[in-house]
Amino acid sequence: MADKPNLKDLKNTEYGLEKIFEGAQDFLPLLGTDYVEFYVGNAKQAAHFYKTAFGFQSYAYRGLETGSKDEVSYVLKQDKIRLVLTTPLNSASPINAHLAKHGDGVKVVALWVEDARSAYEETMKRGARSFMEPTVEKDEHGEVVRSGIYTYGETVHVFVERKNYNGTFLPGFKKWESDYNPAPTGLKFIDHMVGNVGWGEMNQWVEWYEKVMGFVNFLSFDDKQITTEYSSLMSKVMSNGNGRIKFPINEPAKGKKKSQIEEYLDFYESPGVQHIAVATDDIVKTVTELRARGIEFLPPPPQAYYDAIPSRLGSHMDFMNEDIAELQKLCILVDADEEGYLLQIFTKPIEDRPTLFFEIIQRMGAKGFGAGNFKALFESIEREQANRGTL
Ligand code: FE2
């Protein structure tokens, strides 16, 4: 059995997070996540799911009624999070090939920038592969400039400049008014988004984010730290200069059985987005609500995990508001670092292929990614993999 990750290692405290971020080159610069676009088989039904189960609100729409003849998109919003669900309307659309290969999944991680032309030029001259040249879209509410580059697999980053626009979402979309408006579940913003890449490819993508995007690698976990009896993986966390965009990159590592990253790669049939972590201010309330609406989470770790929480949290227990019994009832995980603690939980994959899932996270001072939970988490995932016959 490998050593449990040491919290001191995880925090990289000899540098301090802010200091490392100063090493980032903010030539883009990124203001935040703008939207996440999924290619899905049936956007109308997927939109219903994200509204009903996750509490996203109807926001914008484009389709046949707005003159979009080849594809339809529903935009959903919850606090700062915007999801776009897109489906092709005929067999000629190139989206069909993406769906046939990957199933439903994340195509675009869109980043909000001051200047989409400059973001494109800066990344292209550093070696990016073009997805979309700078394109101006206009309507009566102003104009939006977008450009895009490929990252791992067929996933892309679209740069969105919207400082001269005050319409709903993007030109070409209309406000989506619906009579069906389930209440939000307390999801606030995207905390981080994780990419799974192939064997031996993690460092190449780490270098890509450093060189092309000006990111820094501020946390690393090797296969000795992220391991169970059966499987391992490696992970490096990339951040942009202001720390608003955090992209951990995972690759599989050799173990006795198949790693969850390998399972992902088999079913997504390429690198891609593994999970989207969304922040809440009240994870107990959010998870209670999500469970009531049918979201399924990974099974709980053993009793010993919850018994050990007071000793793992140490002095952070003094300001912990949550009741451990309640966390256990909801299967919420707890981790801590020097600055505080965090609460997190992971859904099961949210489509039929065991690919994309969501994480719900509440940070109470901690800046890590729940490394102290990796072992318990991965053992839960392995029980699920065993059920699927993919371990
Ligand atoms: Fe995560």
Side-chain angles (χ1 to χ4, degrees):
M1 194 75 52
D3 294 343
K4 200 176 139 190
N6 181 310
L7 289 176
K8 269 212 169 96
D9 295 343
L10 304 173
K11 272 297 275 120
N12 259 332
T13 47
E14 69 261 43
Y15 300 109
L17 294 174
E18 297 300 324
K19 202 168 172 193
I20 289 192
F21 290 173
E22 280 170 16
Q25 303 164 49
D26 240 342
F27 48 76
L28 295 171
L30 301 177
L31 306 173
T33 307
D34 195 283
Y35 64 87
V36 179
E37 182 170 15
F38 297 64
Y39 283 172
V40 297
N42 188 329
K44 186 175 209 159
Q45 291 187 4
H48 187 80
F49 167 79
Y50 280 102
K51 286 172 71 170
T52 304
F54 280 102
F56 281 90
Q57 307 295 300
S58 302
Y59 181 55
Y61 169 84
R62 100 182 140 154
L64 293 172
E65 299 83 348
T66 66
S68 174
K69 297 201 168 20
D70 297 320
E71 49 192 66
V72 56
S73 296
Y74 293 78
V75 188
L76 301 133
K77 196 168 186 291
Q78 187 162 181
D79 206 320
K80 294 190 174 58
I81 312 165
R82 281 193 288 237
L83 303 184
V84 182
L85 306 165
T86 297
T87 290
L89 289 170
N90 55 57
S91 62
S93 166
I95 296 173
N96 291 293
H98 197 281
L99 284 171
K101 185 171 173 67
H102 306 292
D104 287 9
V106 172
K107 173 64 179 177
V108 180
V109 179
L111 302 167
W112 176 30
V113 295
E114 216 23 69
D115 185 338
R117 291 181 183 88
S118 143
Y120 183 80
E121 276 166 31
E122 294 294 334
T123 50
M124 287 299 287
K125 83 178 181 207
R126 287 170 170 83
R129 183 160 67 95
S130 178
F131 170 70
M132 176 190 195
E133 287 186 11
T135 306
V136 182
E137 294 154 303
K138 293 183 186 181
D139 66 12
E140 68 271 32
H141 303 288
E143 66 170 49
V144 172
V145 188
R146 289 191 299 160
S147 60
I149 58 172
Y150 278 94
T151 173
Y152 45 78
E154 291 197 88
T155 316
V156 301
H157 289 311
V158 167
F159 300 117
V160 185
E161 172 191 330
R162 51 172 72 256
K163 59 178 181 278
N164 298 315
Y165 192 67
N166 61 11
T168 302
F169 192 53
L170 294 174
F173 283 77
K174 68 168 190 185
K175 199 167 183 332
W176 173 21
E177 310 264 15
S178 173
D179 293 333
Y180 177 63
N181 303 300
T185 58
L187 305 179
K188 314 282 278 187
F189 58 87
I190 293 178
D191 184 276
H192 60 276
M193 288 185 69
V194 180
N196 281 344
V197 300
W199 290 94
E201 291 177 2
M202 177 180 69
N203 285 328
Q204 142 195 349
W205 285 105
V206 165
E207 280 162 30
W208 186 90
Y209 275 102
E210 285 171 349
K211 189 177 128 210
V212 175
M213 302 278 285
F215 280 37
V216 288
N217 170 216
F218 78 99
L219 275 178
S220 299
F221 308 103
D222 66 22
D223 51 343
K224 307 268 180 315
Q225 290 167 301
I226 313 183
T227 191
T228 67
E229 187 184 348
Y230 296 122
S231 66
S232 312
L233 63 90
M234 294 187 272
S235 187
K236 289 191 175 176
V237 184
M238 306 306 293
S239 173
N240 78 317
N242 63 19
R244 289 187 203 169
I245 310 291
K246 288 176 284 301
F247 293 147
I249 314 268
N250 297 334
E251 77 169 50
K254 286 249 176 292
K256 274 193 226 163
K257 295 196 177 183
K258 189 182 274 191
S259 131
Q260 50 164 308
I261 311 302
E262 221 179 326
E263 183 196 38
Y264 176 99
L265 296 169
D266 285 351
F267 280 91
Y268 200 66
E269 298 191 17
S270 86
V273 173
Q274 178 210 36
H275 76 266
I276 303 173
V278 288
T280 172
D281 288 340
D282 187 344
I283 197 167
V284 168
K285 206 165 147 199
T286 295
V287 172
T288 301
E289 194 58 42
L290 293 174
R291 284 190 180 280
R293 296 173 186 214
I295 292 293
E296 295 181 310
F297 292 93
L298 288 176
Q303 179 64 38
Y305 173 92
Y306 287 97
D307 293 343
I309 286 178
S311 65
R312 285 178 57 211
L313 261 67
S315 62
H316 300 320
M317 279 300 287
D318 300 345
F319 68 93
M320 188 177 184
N321 296 321
E322 295 77 14
D323 172 13
I324 293 176
E326 176 118 61
L327 298 177
Q328 182 172 11
K329 197 179 91 196
L330 294 167
C331 310
I332 293 167
L333 306 176
V334 189
D335 195 22
D337 60 25
E338 290 86 344
E339 291 168 78
Y341 68 98
L342 63 81
L343 303 163
Q344 63 185 170
I345 189 167
F346 299 83
T347 72
K348 291 186 179 183
I350 44 124
E351 59 276 291
D352 291 306
R353 296 195 199 191
T355 54
L356 181 73
F357 59 88
F358 279 77
E359 170 183 349
I360 314 298
I361 183 166
Q362 181 181 355
R363 292 186 184 278
M364 301 298 287
K367 289 180 179 163
F369 292 83
N373 288 325
F374 285 167
K375 190 167 181 303
L377 167 65
F378 297 157
E379 284 170 349
S380 292
I381 293 178
E382 282 167 6
R383 289 197 286 278
E384 294 292 298
Q385 279 180 265
N387 287 337
R388 293 193 281 263
T390 58
L391 181 60

